Each structure stands twice: as C-alpha cells, then as structure tokens.
Amino acid sequence: MMEISNFRKINRDRLSTFLEHLENKNLDTDEMFGKCLMILKTLLYTSSNFIPDSTLSTQNNIQAFLYSINFDVIEADHMIKLKSILDEGADFHIYARYIESILNKNNKSLNSILMTVWTQLGSNVLRLPIIIHEKTIEVNPIIFEKTILSAISLWEINDLIDLCSKSPLVFQTCSSIFNELLIKLNFTNKFTEFLNYFVNSVTSRCKNNDIDIVSIYPNKYKSILTLRDIKNKNSTLVTEHDLSDEIQKLALAYPKESICLLSHFPDLYIPY
C-alpha cells in the first residue's frame, strides 16, 4: 500500500470505489489491516484541504490527519470504530471535538464509547469547553454527575469552580447534586464546610470576572438574593420581615430549593 507520506490530493471518488472493492472481497483481515482500512475510510471524512506532507514526520502527518476529520458527518458505527485510531495519536483538543460530536449526535449507541473516552481523560474532562459540559448535562447527565462526584472525592475542584462561575447551567446542576448530598449526609459539618468553600470560591471567581453572582442562580432565587443584596447595602429599604416572607414562600413551593439557598447563604436563615 502506498505510504501516506507519498499522497498528494486525495481523490475521494477513487478512494470510495477502492474501499467498496475491498469490502466486497470479504477478506479475512488481521488487526493491522483492519486499522489501515479504518484510516482509509476516515480519509473520506477529512477536510478537502488535507494533503499529507512528505516533509513532515509520520506523527505530524497523523496529527494533521486527525485534526482534519469532520466528526459531524460520520455515522455512529464508524464513530465507535474510530476510537482505536484516535488512541494512536489524538491530543486533548481532538478528543474534545470527538466528544462534542458524539453529544451532538445524541445517539444511545454512542453512550458506551462516550463513557470510555470521558473516563480515559480523567480529571482533564473538567478542562473541556463549557459548551461540552452543558451539552453533557442535557444529553447524558449521569456522566456529568459521576464527574462531579469524582472531582469532590479527589478534591480536584478548581477547574469545576471556574466552570461554575462561567455557566449558570453547570453551577445550578452542581448545586443540585451537592444539595442532594447535603441532605443524604444529614448536614454533616464536613460537607457543610466543603459547600461553604465551594460557594465562596465561585462567588470570588465571579467577582474577579465582573459577573453578578445572582445571575448564575435559578430565577426562583433571584428575588430573594436581590432583596438580600439591597438589605446588606441599606437595611432601611428591606427588612428581615421582607426577606422572611420571600423565603417562606420559596420553602412552601420548593422545599429542596430553599434548603439549597439557605445552605449557600446561611445569613438568610432567620430563627424564630
């Protein structure tokens, strides 16, 4: 077979015909031939600008090849098989594009390979673009929840805090997960301390980035948080009674959400 470094412009029509001929042969292939066939098939889904460069090393040509793949036009079955090729030389950014394409396809047959790649990246998944995490929450929330639980168990939450300060959806999803844990753990001091650290860190990151902390909370919290902010600035305009009324309304309509809000802002708790 012609060395990849000797390719010039890829003729996709001829390549497609050649691949069809090979598949019709029903050859009893070994693993190496199977990988070569997979690479040839994948060349059909590369950018028209991709031309292997004989002046570059094999590794650089592989990187250029992987970067040129248009994952969005590849069918689910080929996406699964493609994973073995990516493992030969894909970097973090290529895996990010691969994951995003899997999420966009929203095909249940890809859930297993998504979990495999997600696990393979380890704590680096928290460095994936925000749009990928938001799409994961929408398409496969279980994977995101496992990521959050793993992050807090290993205390690798700096990247998570950064994500939360930039995405209301990520922050609200994390807050919901932490609220469930808080209740299940019966409000233990250790987890309460962790929650305080998390909220304070997100608040600090928001301030540093000129983001209003109220903007990342659900709409049902915003009137209370706005009143709290006004009260802290001028207690004559908003009284504790005003705040208490709003908190009671929230507690009656959304009990768990009121627990979450009070755990984030203990000063809102008004004992009777």
Side-chain angles (χ1 to χ4, degrees), residues 29-233:
T29 60
D30 58 18
E31 182 180 353
M32 182 59 69
F33 183 86
K35 281 193 175 183
C36 290
L37 192 60
M38 173 60 67
I39 291 173
L40 289 175
K41 284 184 179 180
T42 307
L43 283 170
L44 294 173
Y45 305 109
T46 57
S47 165
S48 58
N49 296 325
F50 171 64
I51 302 175
D53 188 343
S54 60
T55 64
L56 299 176
S57 67
T58 300
Q59 185 61 33
N60 284 336
N61 265 308
I62 290 174
Q63 282 287 307
F65 161 59
L66 295 177
Y67 265 99
S68 72
I69 298 173
N70 183 359
F71 294 112
D72 293 338
V73 299
I74 301 178
E75 295 181 356
D77 182 59
H78 193 77
M79 285 288 282
I80 294 170
K81 295 176 181 177
L82 187 57
K83 168 67 166 54
S84 63
I85 301 300
L86 297 185
D87 289 343
E88 297 294 329
D91 61 16
F92 179 76
H93 301 290
I94 293 170
Y95 278 120
R97 287 178 48 235
Y98 181 65
I99 289 171
E100 185 174 7
S101 182
I102 289 175
L103 291 168
N104 287 335
K105 292 179 192 302
N106 196 10
N107 187 319
K108 289 183 178 179
S109 68
L110 293 171
N111 283 349
S112 178
I113 198 70
L114 174 62
M115 178 65 82
T116 299
V117 178
W118 200 271
T119 303
Q120 182 176 320
L121 290 180
S123 61
N124 283 326
V125 295
L126 292 172
R127 298 187 177 93
L128 289 169
I130 289 172
I131 190 173
I132 291 181
H133 288 283
E134 292 179 334
K135 192 70 178 179
T136 303
I137 292 169
E138 176 189 337
V139 174
N140 203 319
I142 292 175
I143 288 183
F144 185 80
E145 182 174 348
K146 287 183 177 180
T147 300
I148 301 312
L149 295 177
S150 175
I152 63 174
S153 66
L154 298 173
W155 201 253
E156 296 177 338
I157 63 170
N158 283 336
D159 290 320
L160 178 60
I161 288 167
D162 189 57
L163 282 172
C164 286
S165 70
K166 296 174 181 176
S167 168
L169 178 59
V170 173
F171 175 73
Q172 291 170 27
T173 303
C174 287
S175 295
S176 179
I177 293 170
F178 294 160
N179 197 47
E180 291 293 334
L181 278 174
L182 181 67
I183 295 170
K184 286 181 180 178
L185 295 172
N186 199 26
F187 303 88
T188 60
N189 288 335
K190 189 170 184 180
F191 194 77
T192 300
E193 288 173 3
F194 160 77
L195 196 55
N196 288 337
Y197 173 81
F198 168 74
V199 174
N200 290 335
S201 297
V202 172
T203 301
S204 176
R205 198 72 58 91
C206 284
K207 286 181 179 178
N208 291 340
N209 294 321
D210 293 323
I211 298 170
D212 182 1
I213 186 66
V214 176
S215 69
I216 68 172
Y217 277 89
N219 288 333
K220 61 175 68 80
Y221 295 172
K222 289 182 179 179
S223 62
I224 295 175
L225 293 177
T226 300
L227 287 173
R228 173 182 177 268
D229 189 46
I230 295 172
K231 181 180 180 296
N232 288 340
K233 291 176 181 177

